[in-house]
Amino acid sequence: MPIDVHEGSQTFHLHNDVLSYVFAVREGYPLSLYFGARVPDEPEYDYLVDEEYRPSSVGVSPEREYLSLEHVRCEVPFSGAGDMRLPALEVVTATGGRVLDLTYRGHELSCGKPALRGLPATYVEDPSEAQTLVITLADDVAGVTVCALYTVFSGRGALVRSMEVENSGQATITLERAMSGCFSLEGDGFEMIQLTGSWARECSVARSALHPGIQGVYSARGHSGHQSNPFLALVGPETTELSGEAYGFSLVYSGNHALTVDVDPYHSARVLAGVNPATFSWPLAPGEKFQTPEVVAAYSDEGIGGMSRTLHTLFRSRLARGPWRDRPRPILINNWEATYFDFDEERIVEVARVAASLGVELFVLDDGWFTGRDDDRGGLGDWEVNEAKLPGGLAGLARRINELGMDFGLWVEPEMVSPGTRVWEEHPEWVLHAPGQPLRPCRHQYVLDLSNPEVVDYLYGRLERVLGSADVAYVKWDMNRSLADVYSQTTPPELQGRVWHAYALGLYDLYDRVTRRFPDVLFESCCGGGGRFDAGMLAFAPQAWTSDNTDAVERLRIQWGTSLAYPVSSMGSHVSASPNHQLFRETPLKARADVAYFGTFGYELDATRLTQGEREQVRAQVAFMKEHRALIQLGDQYRLRSPFEGDGNECAWMVVSAEKDEAIVAYYRILQQVNVGRRALRLAGLDPDARYEVREEGAPAAPGVMGLRYRRPLTGSELMRVGLDLTDESAGKLSSGRGDFLSRVFTLRRAGA
């Protein structure tokens, strides 16, 4: 089994073929001893317990004054008992104090993995896939009991942690900090990788050396945010995409988060992940419990890419749910950048008709279909069809789209409300708004209070009515502003500290009810692009709109960064018009498609304006994606050349089938270079002994077979060590291809397969 418990030494070893996680109970406190590559199981690891005296350290008792919780790396660090670093748990007790003394009371082992009440979480389909350990800690004086949950998966380099806190006393207590997990790593020589940015430039990769003190990422926006994704990684200075140790931490949560790394003066790094305590205060009455979100910790000794692939496979197969989990995604066209708000039914059908003739499978009607919505200043909240635009209603339009051989999809933004709508006028108390404070708009809209169950019920009823009124196969669920003026007008003053997290719970409840009611609908989450691209959302919507920025060059960086934590199948990626509507850059249609292939793939343009030549290109692109989307979206991704390194002029990645008999490689060069000589790209993930036929898509005719790149099949070893030749013979060896915004896609197939 993946968890060994040595009762005599009170040592716990969680392990699989990839990793080991070891902790032991000493003086009643669970102490972290090791997290890393798999090590043999031993009955004790006492030599790893740090009991060396250090000046100014507070001991655990008069008898053990030299044992300080500040230096022994607690599994569940708590406040007030000598650990001077940020705790995982802070409680205001019935006396008003913040001093805790949580000690070990017992443990339970079980096969499988339990669900978390009210929260998205990873899961197993068979109990043999994982084992779960629950450690119980308690402080009888404070009236606090904690269950620390650990799950280790068989065959995956991933460990999952969360925490349940119970008021086991006789008076109300208040949680001021309740983090999901604490991970202690020996040594401060790591570098931290985070995904930062803003609207239209999400998931920029930032890598920096750790320094003494606290560093990390957080959100206080009411959603995970464009600015700091709820993910960070710790890697060695020598770690690359393909080699070295990497630890990744991803919080399965969509609200305000905090992931911090605290480096102490003695070279220990403490990682904490959970709900942001800056916007959290949760009273617990006697007998009440609070469950934290879970945090996934991934370990790999095969570089950053190995860590990413661990997260990819876990999120794709054991976080996402429903019939679309394992299904290649439909190729769609969205009308937003084609029409914006200016459309009627005939205009929509005209765009759909052309798209259908090119092989597109799904038409998505974006913003502007409901009453009062001719621009972004009104209409949100009532969700009634504008029959002036759509005289046949959604049902009539969906029927016409279906008659073209396409499925029909719809955009919604249920969490928001516009002034002047019926719900605004009838239920002003449903809007987040602090009494006496000004209303603070963003995009001319305000936020409905999802911490209020009545609001969740109302929105469920509206969505059920809308989605049940027509044959809707896909829903794009948007959110176009952050939360401010956060005060629930229906919540007592003493419970206002719950509102931020309760909003997230209300969102999950709404998503859960809607997706259960419409289980065959493909949901895509969106938040002004990637503002809520997090693991929590993937449990309900297996894909997310990666960014409102659809420029092919910018998308190289955005999709590369997003892929550090999230699989290709989760990334909404579309071919848009040129010049691009965000940057006004002109790029070839081929380059736009070659980037968009590595995601869910679709089009965000006016198909009626395509020239005949462009239509033929689109038809070929759609055919290529249909042939290869299962491999692209469900294969193993290897990142080869980073747009964040060097001059950022090149980017390359590839996907490989599980059997290693197929692969697709993409290479991108942004600006033309001259006199550079031969260029080669080393591949990864192939069978070194297999031989592969290599073809370049769209290459000029070669002897024998269109796009044949080499005269003989190449071994995987050649392709990974010597590299794929990028020299374009038709353009001459000095240029390695012609023109700016060059993109090249190669298909590899095992010879004889």
Side-chain angles (χ1 to χ4, degrees):
M1 297 297 286
I3 300 178
D4 289 312
V5 179
H6 300 280
E7 299 283 358
S9 62
Q10 290 190 309
T11 299
F12 301 83
H13 184 186
L14 292 74
H15 59 82
N16 55 33
D17 294 339
V18 179
L19 62 79
S20 283
Y21 189 96
V22 183
F23 67 92
V25 177
R26 294 294 178 269
E27 300 299 317
Y29 303 106
L31 308 180
S32 176
L33 302 182
Y34 173 77
F35 179 24
R38 172 69 189 270
V39 295
D41 184 56
E42 298 292 343
E44 54 82 19
Y45 298 83
D46 280 359
Y47 67 93
L48 294 174
V49 179
D50 186 355
E51 295 191 58
E52 181 179 347
Y53 172 73
R54 294 186 175 88
S56 300
S57 299
V58 176
V60 299
S61 68
E63 296 76 24
R64 299 300 303 274
E65 186 173 349
Y66 286 176
L67 179 64
S68 172
L69 297 184
E70 183 176 2
H71 305 299
V72 290
R73 305 200 299 272
C74 291
E75 281 292 290
V76 184
F78 49 85
S79 61
D83 188 340
M84 306 303 179
R85 292 169 291 175
L86 288 181
L89 182 66
E90 184 173 5
V91 177
V92 178
T93 67
T95 65
R98 296 173 183 260
V99 177
L100 294 177
D101 188 28
L102 292 167
T103 56
Y104 171 77
R105 301 301 172 88
H107 69 272
E108 291 184 2
L109 276 174
S110 61
C111 292
K113 182 179 185 295
L116 300 185
R117 179 172 47 87
L119 288 163
T122 54
Y123 61 91
V124 296
E125 293 187 335
D126 187 280
S128 64
E129 294 180 22
Q131 195 169 17
T132 295
L133 169 69
V134 179
I135 299 290
T136 300
L137 311 173
D139 180 339
D140 296 331
V141 174
V144 177
T145 299
V146 173
C147 290
L149 286 77
Y150 303 75
T151 296
V152 61
F153 295 92
S154 300
R156 301 180 190 270
L159 174 78
V160 176
R161 290 192 61 178
S162 68
M163 181 169 65
E164 182 186 72
V165 184
E166 179 181 2
N167 182 348
S168 51
Q170 302 301 313
T172 296
I173 62 175
T174 302
L175 305 185
E176 296 293 332
R177 175 187 289 263
M179 306 302 282
S180 300
C182 174
F183 304 87
S184 297
L185 300 180
E186 187 68 37
D188 57 1
F190 293 101
E191 294 179 348
M192 184 179 77
I193 298 175
Q194 65 186 89
L195 302 177
T196 186
S198 188
W199 175 83
R201 48 186 176 87
E202 296 90 338
C203 287
S204 292
V205 177
R207 179 169 174 170
S208 58
L210 293 183
H211 58 76
I214 297 169
Q215 51 251 274
V217 300
Y218 74 94
S219 171
R221 310 181 72 89
H223 55 99
S224 46
H226 302 81
Q227 292 72 17
S228 292
N229 197 272
F231 160 84
L232 64 78
L234 295 182
V235 302
E238 75 292 341
T239 297
T240 67
E241 276 291 327
L242 300 175
S243 66
E245 288 192 306
Y247 298 83
F249 305 93
S250 182
L251 187 65
V252 186
Y253 188 60
S254 309
N256 292 345
H257 65 263
L259 290 86
T260 59
V261 185
D262 187 355
V263 177
D264 73 7
Y266 301 100
H267 316 294
S268 174
R270 170 183 286 180
V271 179
L272 289 170
V275 175
N276 189 343
T279 57
F280 174 84
S281 180
W282 197 274
L284 285 179
E288 288 186 339
K289 299 178 180 180
F290 178 84
Q291 173 64 56
T292 72
E294 70 178 23
V295 57
V296 177
Y299 169 80
S300 175
D301 60 5
E302 297 180 353
I304 302 167
M307 173 208 71
S308 294
R309 287 185 291 278
T310 294
L311 292 174
H312 291 179
T313 56
L314 180 64
F315 290 168
R316 191 174 61 228
S317 63
R318 292 298 181 267
L319 180 60
R321 290 167 168 78
W324 286 104
R325 186 191 72 177
D326 303 320
R327 222 187 267 176
R329 309 296 157 70
I331 297 170
L332 65 82
I333 187 166
N334 184 299
N335 73 295
W336 179 242
E337 291 191 15
T339 67
Y340 294 100
F341 295 104
D342 185 18
F343 64 83
D344 58 21
E345 184 170 311
E346 295 307 317
R347 181 79 176 91
I348 292 298
V349 172
E350 181 185 11
V351 173
R353 182 176 291 110
V354 175
S357 72
L358 302 177
V360 176
E361 301 162 311
L362 168 66
F363 182 90
V364 179
L365 179 64
D366 212 282
D367 196 356
W369 57 267
F370 45 97
T371 302
R373 196 65 169 175
D374 293 322
D375 54 33
D376 63 2
R377 293 179 176 271
L380 296 168
D382 292 343
W383 301 108
E384 295 176 347
V385 177
N386 184 344
E387 294 186 355
K389 288 184 176 182
L390 306 176
L394 290 177
L397 177 60
R399 185 164 51 252
R400 295 182 70 180
I401 298 296
N402 294 160
E403 289 170 354
L404 295 172
M406 304 174 75
D407 286 330
F408 176 69
L410 193 65
W411 176 96
V412 295
E413 192 178 6
E415 299 157 69
M416 300 296 149
V417 63
S418 302
T421 55
R422 186 179 65 254
V423 67
W424 172 275
E425 299 294 340
E426 293 179 358
H427 291 285
E429 77 281 6
W430 285 2
V431 180
L432 289 175
H433 179 211
Q437 297 292 340
L439 276 167
R440 294 174 171 88
C442 176
R443 203 172 180 253
H444 317 293
Q445 62 195 50
Y446 302 90
V447 185
L448 290 172
D449 179 11
L450 268 67
S451 73
N452 181 348
E454 288 186 4
V455 175
V456 175
D457 289 343
Y458 166 78
L459 291 175
Y460 173 72
R462 302 310 295 175
L463 290 173
E464 182 184 39
R465 181 174 179 271
V466 168
L467 301 183
S469 71
D471 187 3
V472 177
Y474 163 102
V475 170
K476 181 178 180 180
W477 185 315
D478 208 346
M479 178 196 189
N480 277 305
R481 65 156 291 174
S482 299
L483 276 59
D485 199 22
V486 176
Y487 187 95
S488 173
Q489 299 182 68
T490 58
T491 297
E494 67 273 15
L495 299 181
Q496 290 296 323
R498 297 168 56 123
V499 174
W500 291 93
H501 180 60
Y503 182 98
L505 296 180
L507 172 67
Y508 291 146
D509 180 34
L510 181 59
Y511 248 114
D512 182 62
R513 292 165 67 179
V514 173
T515 54
R516 288 181 185 275
R517 172 64 179 82
F518 300 99
D520 296 322
V521 172
L522 171 59
F523 284 82
E524 177 175 283
S525 67
C526 179
C527 183
R532 198 156 62 186
F533 202 131
D534 57 65
M537 282 290 96
L538 293 184
F540 306 99
Q543 62 190 56
W545 185 225
T546 316
S547 177
D548 280 348
N549 187 345
T550 55
D551 174 70
V553 174
E554 293 295 307
R555 272 302 188 102
L556 293 174
R557 295 166 61 89
I558 293 168
Q559 290 174 210
W560 177 287
T562 303
S563 74
L564 261 66
Y566 307 104
V568 171
S569 63
S570 69
M571 287 190 273
S573 55
H574 295 172
V575 178
S576 62
S578 183
N580 175 262
H581 287 198
Q582 291 80 45
L583 288 114
F584 312 106
R585 181 169 16 226
E586 296 189 46
T587 53
L589 181 56
K590 172 177 165 44
R592 284 174 269 153
D594 287 350
V595 175
Y597 286 146
F598 292 85
T600 58
F601 195 70
Y603 292 86
E604 191 106 2
L605 45 72
D606 187 348
T608 66
R609 296 192 176 189
L610 295 171
T611 66
Q612 189 58 41
E614 289 171 334
R615 294 186 187 194
E616 291 305 317
Q617 285 189 69
V618 169
R619 187 175 284 110
Q621 291 165 2
V622 169
F624 174 83
M625 191 61 184
K626 287 180 179 178
E627 180 181 357
H628 298 289
R629 59 184 161 186
L631 170 58
I632 291 173
Q633 294 169 1
L634 305 178
D636 294 324
Q637 184 184 32
Y638 291 82
R639 296 180 296 266
L640 305 175
R641 194 163 292 177
S642 172
F644 293 98
E645 296 178 0
D647 60 8
N649 197 46
E650 295 179 293
C651 178
W653 49 51
M654 64 185 292
V655 290
V656 184
S657 66
E659 300 78 14
K660 299 185 183 298
D661 55 359
E662 290 183 277
I664 298 179
V665 182
Y667 166 79
Y668 312 94
R669 191 204 59 217
I670 299 170
L671 297 179
Q672 172 75 58
Q673 296 168 305
V674 68
N675 199 19
V676 295
R678 181 182 179 274
R679 287 286 179 89
L681 178 68
R682 289 187 177 184
L683 306 188
L686 302 174
D687 180 344
D689 299 321
R691 290 188 175 273
Y692 295 90
E693 295 176 349
V694 181
R695 291 178 171 82
E696 182 173 2
E697 294 302 309
V705 180
M706 167 67 81
L708 185 64
R709 186 74 188 138
Y710 296 95
R711 296 181 183 277
R712 62 170 175 83
L714 299 184
T715 64
S717 180
E718 286 178 277
L719 289 164
M720 292 188 290
R721 294 181 179 275
V722 179
L724 179 68
D725 186 7
L726 294 177
T727 304
D728 188 335
E729 299 292 346
S730 67
K733 290 183 179 293
L734 295 183
S735 65
S736 294
R738 285 182 178 162
D740 296 338
F741 315 123
L742 176 77
S743 63
R744 304 174 71 179
V745 174
F746 301 85
T747 58
L748 281 62
R749 188 179 299 274
R750 190 190 295 261

